[in-house]
């Protein structure tokens, strides 16, 4: 007779039983799981249920069972009620509540759900007992009693049958089981134990230890099943030992390995049996037919999907092998490359070559060469030959390095000669090998020593770098370039003008600044004093002491947790199969002390975060992984000799800055110095291998688990009175986790966030640290940046600086850059170097005024952010008591809804104010820190070529406040016209005389000179004329400079550091007008000379106003409501951004924002009026700029066809040679696994993914124009540098000293004319035809849509827009082109 015994699951234990069961038992448990998920058949009466609750089942299915199985399409798991954990954290306790949500799956909720289910069971059991006692059983209870009675009868009648039938398992009707189990969904987590004979059942029940053993075995089998489903390992056909690579060749080599490496990965014999026990899904004829259909929103076809996977795997393997070699895990690297090599043997040769390349072997070869293990290298050479790969220069360099580390003898010299001969037969000379290979540490010297054992007189000849340009627009600058090796000591003084903007710093001063900068980068961060003005708490000193104690205890806990979790990870990874790329290897590259420092900084960052917003855990994981990667890269440079060599080269670089006797730009100087030191030491053009996004997330998750689990805080830590009570205890009594997670709705998604415990936040606020910490790659540099000489090296001395700001999946543009001629990238690199070479300082006179306003609560009208506390509270609704007493009227539902909306808006406004306030706090605190220092701003660019400073907080981009605080460090005399340019700049900033000529503006400046002087002398207590300006803070800074010049004895000799701006007049429309030679459009944007400036914004506003008057006369109410409000400022942003692709929706938001800011405009008309003005503004622009609209439409149509017909991203090459690829692709929202040891092989890249057609076509016109304005800026930058001018740009706004404004204006106009004299549209059409057009053989001539689309693409790419007759040379005489 069979019985069912339901027992609670035992508490988890650390021990492990003998789980080496057979596949037969595993099959039984698999069938048991199938049985659990089989839906119960419908029953008609309770009596029938009871009598058929338990019946024996033979191994041959009945006809009824066969029909039931045929009807089932898939196994359905029972639906569980899912809950979200709401953790209420107070000062003393942390209580949990449950809230039901949909589609929320998280392993962290398992314990919470189990607790809730147990409560349901207990409650139901209590109700049943109560009903039985009172004799008031319902029909369901009667059924339960009948079930118990029939159970006994059935047991007695079928005992004999059960004994003589040897069934593998017994089929149980789950309707007969306790219904509370089904309702609670507990029958999956709570095991059902099945027994055969009655005597055996009694013995088991009498012995609890036997029951626990069964339960333990059950959990072990369940873990096996779950691991089969979650982590499917590929079977490896050949073992590593079959290739004789397991045995170490030298005894000393094994001693040098990590202890983890002494045991090769183990393959369980049961791995091969897993396939036999997998549940096969039911496959009918319909599914069999559609199995081969390819459906993907991301990839165009199966081939693209396969190539994408291969590319992702190649990136992961390259990164993993580099890390293995760095962490001294050569055996792990060897087993990994061997596993993938074996795996692709089944496939064709092409696939193997795509994955297993010679570059992967070279990584491993250098690892073994560093140990002098030539036997291993020889076996790798055999594998290379078996794979049909050719040796590269790097392969021979590794061979020579390995032989150079072996003691020299006759055999050694014979081998060296053999590889030299082999290389020469392959076409590689020794000079090529030494020149093209990349070396680290002492590899170059060792390889050279090996070669000289057989060729004593060999001295490598390194190919000198090409220093000049290969671009028609810049070839005239090549006249100043002296080829490498032909340098002379006699350089004409006039040719050294390029050094004028870099003079004034001695070698000793620059070297000292470089040492300080290196120390900052080695530390990884910088801590500065905050300018926040706050009251000192009474217990501040006590809180600081407690925080210091916490810091020390946290460091100990983190260090212990790192060792503990790494050992656990090491034990788990040890017995994984070959080729198992895991996170343990990545985590082994740093010491635990580095992880401790990183986590301590992360703790303080989280504890000081915003209360209303937090990054999601995915973002936090990735950012923390990036910090680990950055620390690893710096440690790598310290150990491979790069740091030392950078110091040597930079010292020579400082000497050139000091002497000023050079006619090279910074890139050319750096290239010469690097070439001079190529004879020894590491290579300086080593590309850093970035970790994939999945690795960064996995490493960050590992560390965050420690932060969430091991970082504790005493909830009573701030209670000073409890000191005496806790003095006798060794450990705090109220320890709680310092961080917890919550789930927040973000749109339709639920995102997990990390929050600090309120006690921790309060402790930090009370301690008032008054400091801010910034990463070293987010602050300005204390010395001139390293010049960009290659796409991989430049910017900070040690920190990795990205040349192009791109998302991590955008690799297509990097492919184009790698494949292009290095000389084609020089213009963009040199422009970045020129901008980065400009030294800055803080305008301290103005900074003090800004800090005073900020510390006094800010000022919204002056654009100084206010703290969120300054926001007035919302009015509260009357309480129920007030309504009952008659003191207030009842609240209607509409009023409550309005209050709810107001609360949401109030909370949103608070979050915005806090964000702006923090931004100002960071900017002003950094400015205060650097107030007496000179600093430099390294630059990089976006994918279009637009340049940006790398430090985000303190730079000259951004708002009026940000631009006003910085001035040049170099001072230059104003000269004859400098004072006039200064006054003109002041009037330009006010925005009061935009339609007036230069002469009228200067006269106006003389009229208001008393106001200017009063603003400078009494900025906050005077008449504050400056505050009414369009750019108030820049106007105030200019007023202060004018006052200083006015009061100086000789204005012409006054040394000024103040930058003067020359701003383009709607620069995007200027480029469109020049492209189309549109005469009317050119005049409206000041390309043609005129007596007064033409204001395109006012012209558009006049057209709109004329249309509005007509509509108002025709009775249109919205036109009448806009009377007097169609102003220049209202439509300016829309006109400016139209050429950059703004949509009608975006334009409507822009206009609505401007209308809301007008106090007199009726707020009820904001949205109708904004819709009306948007339509009229677009119509007016079409009327004014016909040629512009034609070009824009051609751009859009070309991009639509390229993305839609060719399924490729739109790309082009700028006039300066920079390849551009639009990184807009369709990506599936794939959630990374929340846990696991294995590094995923998949990652998204834009090389093989479908383009996002909508984004591609909408973004191409503005992106192409942005690439043109960046090209114009770069041309102007390089010409100004050659003339010795200080030049800085904010996109289309150029800055220089007052005395050099005329030279800047001349260069700006000449370069614009030179740029647009090139056949830009013709070259673009030719490039797109060459890249995307279809050949005659590609057409099917069947009249299909696909065939017609291809023909339309070819036709559209050739149909250039018609051009006008505007003469570009007029720009040279236009005063207001840039003014």
């Amino acid at each position: 007779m069979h019985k069912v015994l339901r027992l609670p699951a035992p508490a988890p234990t650390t021990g492990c039983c003998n789980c080496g069961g057979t596949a037969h038992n595993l099959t039984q448990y698999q069938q048991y799981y199938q049985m659990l998920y089989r839906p119960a058949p419908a029953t008609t009466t309770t009596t029938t249920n009871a009598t058929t609750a338990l019946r024996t089942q033979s191994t041959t299915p009945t006809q009824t069972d066969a029909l039931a199985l045929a009807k089932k399409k898939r196994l359905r798991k029972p639906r569980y009620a899912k809950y979200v954990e709401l953790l209420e954290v107070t000062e003393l306790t942390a209580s949990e509540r449950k809230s039901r949500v949909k589609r929320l799956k998280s392993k962290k909720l398992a314990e919470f759900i189990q607790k809730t289910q147990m409560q349901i069971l207990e409650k139901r059991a209590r109700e049943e007992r109560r009903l039985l006692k009172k004799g008031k059983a319902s029909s369901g209870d009667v059924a339960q009693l009948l079930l118990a009675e029939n159970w006994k009868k059935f047991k007695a009648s079928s005992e004999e049958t059960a004994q003589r039938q040897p069934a593998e398992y017994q089929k149980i009707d789950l309707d007969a089981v306790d219904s509370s189990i089904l309702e609670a969904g507990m029958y999956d987590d709570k095991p059902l134990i099945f027994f055969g004979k009655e005597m055996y059942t009694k013995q088991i029940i009498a012995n609890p230890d036997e029951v626990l053993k069964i339960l333990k075995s059950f959990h072990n089998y369940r873990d096996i099943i779950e691991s089969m489903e979650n982590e499917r390992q590929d079977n490896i056909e050949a073992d590593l030992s079959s290739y004789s690579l397991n045995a170490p060749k030298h005894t000393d080599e094994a001693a040098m390995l990590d202890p983890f490496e002494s045991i090769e990965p183990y393959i369980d014999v049961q791995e091969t049996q897993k396939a036999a026990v997998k549940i096969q899904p039911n496959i009918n004829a319909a599914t069999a037919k559609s199995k081969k259909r390819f459906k993907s929103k991301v990839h165009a076809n199966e081939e693209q999907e396969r190539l994408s996977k291969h590319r992702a795997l190649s990136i992961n393997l390259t990164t993993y092998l580099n890390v293995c070699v760095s962490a001294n895990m050569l055996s792990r690297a060897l087993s990994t490359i061997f596993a993938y090599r074996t795996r692709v043997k089944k496939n064709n040769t092409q696939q193997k070559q795509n994955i297993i390349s010679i570059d992967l072997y070279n990584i491993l070869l250098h690892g073994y060469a560093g140990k002098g293990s030539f036997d291993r290298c020889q076996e790798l050479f055999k594998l290379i030959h078996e794979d049909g790969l050719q040796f590269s220069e790097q392969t021979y360099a590794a061979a020579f390095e390995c032989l150079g580390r072996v003691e020299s003898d006759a055999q050694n010299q014979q081998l060296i000669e053999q590889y030299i001969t082999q290389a020469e037969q392959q076409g590689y000379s020794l000079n090529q090998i030494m020149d093209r290979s990349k070396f680290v540490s002492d590899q170059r010297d060792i390889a050279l020593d090996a070669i000289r054992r057989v060729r004593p007189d060999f001295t490598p000849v390194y190919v000198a770098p090409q220093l000049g340009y290969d671009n028609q627009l810049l070839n005239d600058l090549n006249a100043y370039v002296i080829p490498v090796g032909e340098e002379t000591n006699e350089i004409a003084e006039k040719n050294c003008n390029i050094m004028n903007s870099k003079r004034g710093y001695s070698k000793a001063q620059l070297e000292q600044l470089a040492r300080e900068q290196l120390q900052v980068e080695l530390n990884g961060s910088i801590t500065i004093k905050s300018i926040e003005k706050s009251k000192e708490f009474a217990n501040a000193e006590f809180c600081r002491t407690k925080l210091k104690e916490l810091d020390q205890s946290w460091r100990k806990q983190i260090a212990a947790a790192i060792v503990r979790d790494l050992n656990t990870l090491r034990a788990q990874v040890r017995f994984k199969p070959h080729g198992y790329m895991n996170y343990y290897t990545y985590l082994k590259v740093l010491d635990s002390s580095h992880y401790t420092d990183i986590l301590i900084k992360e703790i303080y960052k989280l504890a000081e975060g915003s209360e209303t917003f937090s990054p999601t855990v995915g973002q936090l994981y990735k950012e923390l992984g990036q910090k680990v990667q950055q620390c690893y890269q710096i440690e790598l440079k310290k150990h491979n000799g790069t740091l030392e060599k950078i110091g040597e080269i930079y010292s020579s670089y400082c000497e050139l800055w000091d002497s000023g006797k050079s006619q090279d730009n910074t890139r050319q100087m750096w290239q010469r110095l690097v070439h001079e030191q190529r004879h020894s030491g590491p290579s300086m053009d080593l590309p850093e291998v970035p970790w994939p996004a999945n690795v960064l997330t996995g490493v960050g998750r590992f560390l965050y688990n420690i932060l969430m689990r091991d970082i504790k805080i005493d909830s009573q830590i701030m209670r000073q009175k409890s000191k005496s009570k806790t003095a006798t205890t060794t450990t705090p009594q109220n320890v709680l986790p310092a961080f917890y997670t919550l789930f927040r709705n973000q749109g339709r998604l639920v995102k997990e966030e990390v929050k600090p415990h309120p006690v921790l936040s309060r402790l930090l606020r009370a301690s008032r640290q008054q400091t801010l910490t910034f990463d070293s790659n987010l602050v300005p540099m204390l010395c001139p940046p390293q010049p960009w000489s290659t796409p991989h090296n430049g910017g900070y001395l040690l920190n990795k600086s990205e040349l192009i700001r791109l998302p991590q999946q955008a690799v297509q543009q990097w492919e184009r850059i790698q494949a292009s001629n290095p000389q084609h990238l020089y213009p963009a690199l040199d422009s970045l170097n020129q901008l980065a070479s400009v030294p800055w300082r803080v305008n301290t006179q103005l900074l003090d005024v800004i800090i005073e306003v900020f510390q006094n609560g800010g000022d919204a009208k002056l654009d100084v952010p206010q703290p969120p506390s300054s926001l007035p509270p919302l009015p509260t609704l009357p309480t129920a008591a007030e309504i009952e007493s008659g003191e207030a009227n009842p609240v209607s539902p509409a009023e409550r809804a309005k209050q709810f909306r107001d609360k949401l808006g109030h909370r949103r406004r608070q979050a915005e104010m806090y964000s702006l306030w923090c931004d100002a706090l960071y900017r002003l605190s950094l400015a205060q820190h650097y107030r007496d220092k000179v600093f430099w701003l390294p630059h990089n660019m976006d994918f279009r070529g637009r340049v940006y400073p790398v430090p985000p907080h303190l730079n000259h981009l951004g708002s009026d406040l940000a631009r006003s605080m910085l001035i040049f460090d170099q001072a230059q005399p104003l000269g004859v016209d400098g004072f006039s340019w200064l006054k003109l700049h002041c009037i330009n900033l006010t925005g009061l005389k935009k339609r007036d000529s230069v002469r009228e503006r200067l006269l106006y400046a003389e009229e208001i000179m008393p106001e200017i002087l009063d603003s400078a002398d009494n900025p906050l207590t005077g008449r504050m004329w400056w505050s009414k300006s369009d750019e108030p803070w820049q106007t105030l800074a200019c007023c202060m400079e004018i006052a200083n010049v006015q009061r100086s004895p000789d204005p012409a000799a006054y040394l000024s550091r103040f930058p003067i701006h020359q701003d383009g007049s709607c620069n995007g429309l200027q480029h469109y007008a020049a492209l189309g030679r549109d005469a009317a459009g050119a005049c409206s944007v000041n390309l043609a000379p005129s007596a007064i400036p033409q204001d395109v914004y006012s012209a558009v506003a006049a057209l709109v106003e004329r249309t509005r008057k007509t509509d108002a006369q025709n009775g249109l109410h919205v036109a009448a409501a806009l009377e007097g409000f169609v102003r220049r400022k209202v439509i300016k942003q829309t006109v400016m951004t139209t050429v950059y692709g703004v949509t009608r929706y975006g334009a409507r938001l822009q206009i609505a924002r401007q209308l809301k800011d007008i106090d007199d405009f009726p707020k009820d008309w904001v949205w109708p009026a904004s819709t009306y003005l948007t339509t009229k503004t677009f119509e007016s622009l079409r009327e004014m700029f016909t040629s512009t609209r034609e070009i824009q439409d051609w751009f859009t149509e070309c991009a639509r066809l390229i993305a839609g017909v060719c399924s490729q991203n739109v790309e082009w090459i700028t006039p300066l040679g920079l390849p551009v690829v639009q990184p807009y692709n369709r990506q599936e929202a794939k959630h990374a696994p929340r846990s696991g040891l294995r590094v995923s092989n998949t990652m998204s890249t834009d090389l093989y993914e479908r383009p996002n057609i909508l984004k591609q076509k909408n973004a191409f016109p503005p992106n192409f124009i942005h690439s043109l304005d960046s090209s114009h800026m770069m041309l102007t930058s390089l010409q100004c540098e050659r003339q010795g001018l200080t030049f800085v740009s904010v996109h289309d706004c150029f800055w220089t000293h007052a005395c050099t404004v005329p030279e800047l204006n001349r260069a700006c106009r000449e370069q614009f004319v030179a740029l647009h004299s090139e056949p830009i549209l013709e070259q673009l059409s030719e490039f797109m035809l060459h890249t995307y057009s279809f050949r005659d053989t590609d057409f099917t001539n069947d009249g299909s849509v696909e065939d017609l689309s291809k023909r339309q693409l070819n036709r559209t790419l050739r149909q250039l827009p018609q051009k006008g007759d505007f003469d570009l040379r007029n720009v040279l005489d236009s005063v207001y082109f840039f003014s």
Side-chain angles (χ1 to χ4, degrees), residues 701-771:
R701 184 189 299 116
F702 173 85
L703 295 177
Y704 252 95
N705 286 338
I706 294 175
L707 186 144
M708 300 296 296
R709 188 178 57 213
D710 294 283
I711 303 301
K712 309 287 185 181
I713 188 171
D714 185 2
S715 61
Q716 299 182 0
I717 193 172
M718 297 183 68
R719 295 192 175 185
Q720 293 177 271
K721 295 181 180 180
S722 62
K723 191 186 300 183
S724 59
K725 296 181 182 179
T726 59
T728 57
T729 61
T730 56
T731 57
Q733 300 297 316
N734 301 281
V735 173
L736 294 173
F739 296 93
Y740 62 94
T741 59
L742 58 84
F743 294 87
R744 194 193 301 271
N745 286 325
Q746 293 185 7
R748 60 185 180 84
L749 301 176
V750 178
K751 296 297 183 68
E752 186 180 6
E753 299 179 0
V754 176
K755 287 291 184 183
H757 195 285
V759 172
L760 177 58
S761 298
R762 195 156 59 250
L763 180 65
L764 255 70
R765 285 197 301 268
S767 63
R768 288 298 174 190
Q769 295 295 304
Q770 296 293 330
T771 57

Side-chain angles (χ1 to χ4, degrees), residues 473-474 1216 1270-1279 1311 1315:
L473 293 168
L474 292 169
L1216 292 187
S1270 73
S1271 297
H1272 175 225
M1273 185 280 299
M1274 290 178 178
L1275 286 169
T1276 308
S1277 160
L1278 298 178
Q1279 293 294 336
Q1311 297 310 310
L1315 174 66

Side-chain angles (χ1 to χ4, degrees), residues 979-995:
F979 195 20
S980 298
W981 282 112
L982 191 60
K983 289 185 284 188
L984 182 63
H985 176 56
C986 181
I987 303 305
N988 289 342
L989 290 170
T990 63
L992 300 174
K993 297 290 181 180
K994 289 185 178 293
R995 301 299 301 272

Side-chain angles (χ1 to χ4, degrees), residues 795-862:
Y796 292 94
L797 301 183
L798 289 181
N799 286 331
K800 171 64 176 174
S801 302
E802 294 293 343
L803 173 66
I804 300 178
R805 303 184 178 199
L806 279 172
Q808 196 153 15
Q809 72 273 9
V811 298
Q812 194 169 354
Q813 186 165 0
W814 284 113
E815 294 282 326
R816 302 293 184 270
I817 288 175
Q818 296 290 348
S820 64
N821 185 342
Q823 285 183 282
H824 294 168
L825 301 177
Y826 285 169
L829 300 182
D830 287 348
S831 179
L832 293 175
N833 294 335
Q834 184 277 318
L835 296 170
S837 67
V838 175
W840 296 89
R841 67 168 52 241
V842 175
N843 187 341
T844 56
Q845 188 180 3
L846 181 71
L847 178 64
D848 294 335
V849 179
I850 299 175
I851 290 178
E852 182 180 351
V853 175
F854 181 82
Q855 291 180 339
N856 290 332
D859 192 323
K861 293 183 178 179
L862 295 177

Side-chain angles (χ1 to χ4, degrees), residues 446-626:
I446 297 297
L448 193 56
D449 177 67
I451 294 173
R452 285 174 176 167
R453 291 177 184 177
V454 295
R455 306 283 174 87
D457 299 330
F458 173 71
T459 301
V461 177
Y462 295 104
V463 177
Q466 291 290 332
L467 302 180
Y469 299 109
D470 184 16
N471 189 286
Q472 187 174 349
L473 293 168
L474 292 169
N475 285 340
D476 59 309
L477 298 182
N478 290 337
Y480 298 93
V481 178
I482 301 175
V484 176
E486 300 179 13
E487 297 90 346
T488 60
N489 295 327
E490 298 179 1
I491 301 177
E493 187 67 27
K494 64 177 182 179
N495 292 338
C496 297
N497 288 338
I498 195 171
M499 299 298 295
N500 288 347
S501 59
K502 306 172 184 63
R503 299 182 191 273
Y505 308 98
S506 65
K507 179 184 178 183
Q509 181 183 2
L510 290 173
E511 287 180 342
Q512 177 59 31
L513 292 174
R515 283 191 288 268
E516 295 176 11
Q517 177 63 29
L518 277 175
Q519 190 58 51
V520 170
E521 295 188 37
L522 288 172
N523 293 338
S525 63
I526 180 174
T527 301
I528 66 173
K529 187 177 180 180
S530 172
I531 64 156
E532 181 184 0
K533 186 179 181 181
S534 56
K535 295 185 296 184
E536 182 83 4
F537 287 82
N539 62 343
E541 195 59 39
F542 170 79
C543 291
R544 292 191 187 105
T545 304
K546 287 295 182 181
L547 192 62
K548 188 176 180 180
E549 294 174 0
L550 270 180
D551 187 281
Q552 294 174 353
S553 65
W554 284 341
R555 288 183 179 274
K556 294 178 182 177
Q557 292 168 2
I558 291 173
I562 290 289
V563 174
R564 177 199 68 207
D565 288 1
L566 276 180
N567 286 336
T568 303
L569 203 60
R570 175 173 173 264
Q572 292 172 332
V573 167
R574 176 180 294 177
F575 299 108
K576 293 298 179 181
H578 305 300
Y580 189 95
M581 290 190 288
N582 56 79
Y583 294 116
Y584 174 78
T585 308
Y586 286 96
L587 291 163
K588 204 74 175 74
V589 297
L590 292 178
D591 297 332
S592 60
S593 59
H594 292 105
Y595 293 122
T596 303
D597 293 337
I598 291 172
L599 278 178
I600 287 293
K601 292 176 183 176
E602 192 72 12
I603 288 172
Y604 285 112
K605 187 191 81 172
L606 288 175
E608 295 171 352
S610 168
E611 296 179 2
T612 57
F613 172 77
S614 298
T616 61
V617 291
Q619 292 174 282
L620 293 173
Y621 293 160
K622 189 174 180 180
E623 290 173 3
L624 197 59
Q626 287 172 339

Side-chain angles (χ1 to χ4, degrees), residues 1339-1345 1347:
F1339 298 117
T1340 57
N1341 298 317
D1342 57 357
S1344 63
V1345 175
D1347 193 68

